[in-house]
Amino acid sequence: MINKISAIIPTGNHHLKPFPVKEGYINYSQTNLYETALLQGEAKLGFGGPLMVTTGKFTGRSPKDKFTVYSEELKNTIWWENNAPISEENFENLKGDFLKFLSERRVYVKDVNACAENENRLRIRFVNCLAWHAIFVGTLFGLPNEEELEGFEPDVIVINAPDFRADPERHGCGSEAIIATNYKENLILIGGTQYVGENKKSVFGYLNYALPPRGILTMHCSANHTKHDPDDTALFFGLSGTGKTSLSADPDRVLIGDDEHGWSDRGIFNIEDGCYAKTNGLNAVDEPDLYEVSRSYGTIIENMTFDPDSRMPNYDDTSITQNGRCSYSLNKIPYASETRLAKHPRNIFFLTCDVYGILPPISLLTPAQAMYHFLSGFTSKVAGTEAGIDDPAATFSACFGKPFLPLPPIVYGNLFREKVKRHKVRCWLVNTGWTGGRYGIGKRISIKHTRTILTAVLNGEIDHDSVRKDPVFGFEVPLKIDNIPDQLLNPRNTWENPDEYDKMAKTLKEKFQANFKQFEEFVDSDVLEIVL
C-alpha cells in the first residue's frame, strides 16, 4: 500500500507541529523503495541484486559533528566530556531550518521498531530524504505489521537530510554536517552527511540514555547461543573491525545479532533486526555466508568499487574507503534466531585489536579484571570507521563503545558488574590484533586461529589447571589449546627480540594506568588492587 502525504503530523512528546513537505511517502514498501532508489539515480543494481551506493564526502561516522542539547535538567546527567553540547536556542534554529528545508524536498517516512524484547520496544519514525536510507532503516530495524502501523505513535523521531547544510554560527556547530540529539524532545536531526550509519548509531545513543535507568545494560556487542541449549549464550564486545560480526556468525550456533544488544532481567535481546558489516577483504573462504548475502537482493553495498559490466563488487579495493559496508536483514542468515532473544550469557568476550602485539589471543579475567577491562575498552580504531582514521590507531573506548555513551561510563560499568556477578558469567579478553611485533612489523592473528580458540572456550575444552599468570597484566593465559601453536599463546615468544616485547609491554601497561585514572574514584577496592 502506497500512502502519499503532503505533510508530516507528529505524535507524542516531540515539540513538533505538523509540517509540510514537497512530496512524501509514508511506509512505502521495501520493494517500492528499491525501485525508487534505482529510478532516482541514488543507486545502481549490483550482481545478484544488491543496491550499490556511495556516500560522498563522508564514508564513516563524523564524531566531531555530533551534539547533544544542553539543558538544566540534563546538566548533571549527561557525560558532557564525551558529548559536545548545543544550546536549546541553537537547536530551535536548527529545527526550524530543517523543517523549512523539508518543505521543498521529497521525503520517505519509515516507521520501525527497535528492541526485540516487547517490554522495552522503542518505536521510531524516520524521515529520510533518500529512498535508500529508508530501505536501510527498514532493514536494520523491525517492521511493524499493518495493525501496529495503524496506531503507530513514535517514541522518537529521526530526521535525516543529507543535502542540508548547517550554519556553524547560527546552529552552534563546527561544520556543515551535524548530528544533534534532543532528549527532552525525543528528536534527532542529521544533516550534511550521506553516511547511513549515522541513522543506526543515533538510535543506539538514544537507547544508551533511555534504558540504563531502567536497569537494562545497553551493549555494543554481538551475541549467539548454542543450537541445543539457548541458555548457553555468548556476548562479543568490540569496536568496529575487531571481529564482532565475523566471530559471532557461526553456523554451529544461533546468531542473535551482530552489533547492539540489551541485557534485562529476562536475558539478552537484540536492539536491531539486521546487520551492518564491513566488506573490506570479504571472501568466500573465510566468511562464506556473509559473502553470499552481500551479493543478494535486499542487501545494500556501500562505497565499494565494482566492474561496470558484470556489476561484481571488488572486495579488495579500498580506493573509496577502508570502511566499505553492506547492510542486510538477519532473516538472510539461515542460523539466525527467529526471536532475536536469548538467556543470560555464560561467556563474555572482549575483542580487542591490539596494534602493539602484546596481548595474548585469549586470557581469562577475574570479575575485578573484567570490570577493569570493560571500563578501559582497550582496542584500535580501524581505518575508515571514523573520518580521519587512515591506519589502525590504539585507543581506549570506555565500555567498548565510548562514541555512543551519553551517560558516564560508570553507569554502564556498575550495571555490567552486577549482572556478571549475579549470573556467574566467565569473561575473556581476546586479542584479534597483532602478534610477533606491533602494527607494521608483526602480523595480524588469523581469524581461523581466533575461531578455533573461541570454539575451545565455548565447548569447555580449556584446561583451567594448565595456565600461566601473565607477569605484566595479571590475567590467566592457557598454556595449550588444540590446533593452536603454543608459541601464539605466549606473544613474547613470537617476537624476534623478546627484550623489545618487554619494553612495549611496559609502555602498554603505562597507557592502561594513565587511562584508568579517570575511573579510580568510582570503582571498588578490588578493581583498584589489580596489578595494572
Side-chain angles (χ1 to χ4, degrees):
M1 182 177 181
I2 300 175
N3 296 319
K4 192 171 182 179
I5 57 175
S6 59
I8 295 176
I9 303 175
T11 56
N13 182 26
H14 305 288
H15 295 236
L16 278 176
K17 296 179 180 179
F19 57 92
V21 294
K22 180 180 180 181
E23 184 179 352
Y25 299 90
I26 185 166
N27 294 319
Y28 229 5
S29 73
Q30 294 290 85
T31 303
N32 282 324
L33 287 169
Y34 218 80
E35 183 178 49
T36 301
L38 292 170
L39 290 174
Q40 296 293 332
E42 297 177 9
K44 292 184 180 296
L45 192 64
F47 175 84
L51 288 183
M52 312 285 289
V53 301
T54 55
T55 61
K57 175 182 177 182
F58 293 93
T59 57
R61 290 182 294 104
S62 185
K64 293 182 180 180
D65 296 311
K66 183 170 169 277
F67 296 88
T68 299
V69 177
Y70 181 92
S71 67
E72 283 299 313
E73 295 94 318
L74 296 177
K75 179 179 179 180
N76 298 317
T77 301
I78 301 298
W79 183 23
W80 293 111
E81 292 86 348
N82 189 54
N83 294 267
I86 183 175
S87 71
E88 292 181 300
E89 179 183 359
N90 285 140
F91 185 82
E92 280 301 306
N93 290 337
L94 179 68
K95 180 169 65 175
D97 292 344
F98 252 77
L99 300 186
K100 181 180 179 181
F101 181 87
L102 293 181
S103 69
E104 302 171 352
R105 295 295 187 281
R106 176 190 287 117
V107 301
Y108 305 91
V109 179
K110 198 76 171 178
D111 292 332
V112 299
N113 294 321
C115 302
E117 194 171 75
N118 290 332
E119 294 83 354
N120 293 298
R121 180 153 293 168
L122 183 79
R123 294 161 298 186
I124 314 159
R125 172 159 292 166
F126 281 96
V127 181
N128 290 114
C129 291
L130 292 173
W132 80 266
H133 275 211
I135 298 171
F136 175 86
V137 299
T139 299
L140 262 287
F141 298 99
L143 293 175
N145 58 38
E146 289 188 14
E147 183 179 349
E148 291 173 327
L149 285 176
E150 286 182 8
F152 194 91
E153 291 195 8
D155 300 302
V156 61
I157 293 176
V158 181
I159 301 177
N160 190 326
D163 290 336
F164 178 87
R165 296 293 179 263
D167 181 339
E169 183 175 347
R170 175 173 168 77
H171 302 138
C173 53
S175 75
E176 292 183 338
I178 190 166
I179 303 99
T181 299
N182 190 325
Y183 291 112
K184 286 174 61 179
E185 298 187 8
N186 302 310
L187 179 63
I188 301 169
L189 304 176
I190 303 171
T193 171
Q194 285 192 43
Y195 182 63
V196 74
E198 300 289 9
N199 288 283
K200 163 188 166 72
K201 289 306 181 186
S202 65
V203 171
F204 186 47
Y206 182 90
L207 286 166
N208 284 335
Y209 166 82
L211 293 185
R214 302 185 205 169
I216 298 161
L217 176 62
T218 42
M219 305 173 293
H220 188 212
C221 72
S222 57
N224 64 24
H225 67 72
T226 57
K227 290 181 177 180
H228 63 277
D229 184 3
D231 288 344
D232 188 3
T233 303
L235 304 181
F236 305 78
F237 283 84
L239 290 192
S240 176
T242 56
K244 290 194 314 301
T245 298
S246 300
L247 295 172
S248 59
D250 183 346
D252 293 327
R253 294 174 66 87
V254 176
L255 179 66
I256 310 303
D258 83 323
D259 195 44
E260 299 168 3
H261 291 81
W263 188 353
S264 73
D265 289 340
R266 287 166 288 273
I268 303 300
F269 61 88
N270 194 349
I271 286 173
E272 301 175 322
D273 201 51
C275 299
Y276 191 42
K278 289 175 71 72
T279 53
N280 183 16
L282 183 63
N283 63 77
V285 176
D286 291 332
E287 298 177 87
D289 296 307
L290 178 53
Y291 182 76
E292 287 304 316
V293 165
S294 72
R295 303 189 304 166
S296 65
Y297 173 80
T299 294
I300 301 173
I301 295 181
E302 285 177 57
N303 297 320
M304 288 179 60
T305 61
F306 54 91
D307 183 275
D309 295 322
S310 69
R311 301 289 177 88
M312 182 77 75
N314 186 343
Y315 298 98
D316 296 318
D317 184 354
T318 58
S319 59
I320 297 178
T321 177
Q322 295 190 55
N323 193 39
R325 289 183 176 266
C326 66
S327 51
Y328 52 93
S329 169
L330 266 172
N331 292 329
K332 289 193 171 190
I333 303 298
Y335 46 86
S337 164
E338 293 183 3
T339 64
R340 318 311 195 221
L341 301 171
K343 300 294 185 180
H344 301 288
R346 289 183 184 172
N347 290 281
I348 290 177
F349 300 99
F350 298 144
L351 307 178
T352 179
C353 179
D354 175 19
V355 293
Y356 294 101
I358 297 301
L359 297 177
I362 185 74
S363 309
L364 178 61
L365 306 175
T366 66
Q369 289 170 337
M371 177 69 161
Y372 186 98
H373 283 279
F374 180 70
L375 288 174
S376 297
F378 172 68
T379 189
S380 299
K381 291 181 179 178
V382 178
T385 302
E386 293 182 6
I389 303 295
D390 297 319
D391 290 315
T395 187
F396 292 89
S397 185
C399 310
F400 294 93
K402 179 180 177 181
F404 322 119
L405 304 183
L407 306 178
I410 197 63
V411 172
Y412 310 95
N414 286 337
L415 278 171
F416 173 82
R417 186 163 198 194
E418 184 274 328
K419 290 179 183 295
V420 165
K421 180 180 179 181
R422 188 196 318 172
H423 301 290
K424 299 180 175 59
V425 187
R426 291 176 298 182
C427 296
W428 308 79
L429 185 65
V430 179
N431 178 18
T432 64
W434 273 255
T435 189
R438 64 176 301 159
Y439 172 77
I441 298 175
K443 62 180 181 179
R444 192 157 187 184
I445 297 171
S446 73
I447 190 170
K448 179 182 178 181
H449 279 149
T450 302
R451 281 187 173 135
T452 300
I453 291 170
L454 294 184
T455 298
V457 171
L458 293 170
N459 290 343
E461 297 169 358
I462 300 295
D463 183 355
H464 294 280
D465 294 324
S466 180
V467 298
R468 67 177 179 87
K469 186 174 181 179
D470 188 276
V472 179
F473 299 97
F475 38 55
E476 290 185 348
V477 182
L479 292 174
K480 188 172 184 60
I481 297 176
D482 287 347
N483 301 313
I484 296 296
D486 294 347
Q487 182 181 13
L488 183 64
L489 296 172
N490 189 341
R492 189 175 188 270
N493 294 338
T494 67
W495 282 53
E496 185 175 334
N497 186 339
D499 291 337
E500 288 299 316
Y501 172 89
D502 294 337
K503 292 178 183 178
M504 188 60 70
K506 183 175 182 293
T507 297
L508 181 56
K509 176 180 176 179
E510 291 171 349
K511 288 182 179 293
F512 267 95
Q513 291 171 325
N515 173 73
F516 204 77
K517 288 185 181 299
Q518 63 183 304
F519 305 122
E520 288 181 350
E521 64 178 296
F522 304 109
V523 299
D524 294 337
S525 58
D526 61 338
V527 179
L528 288 177
E529 290 171 0
I530 292 175
V531 176
L532 297 179

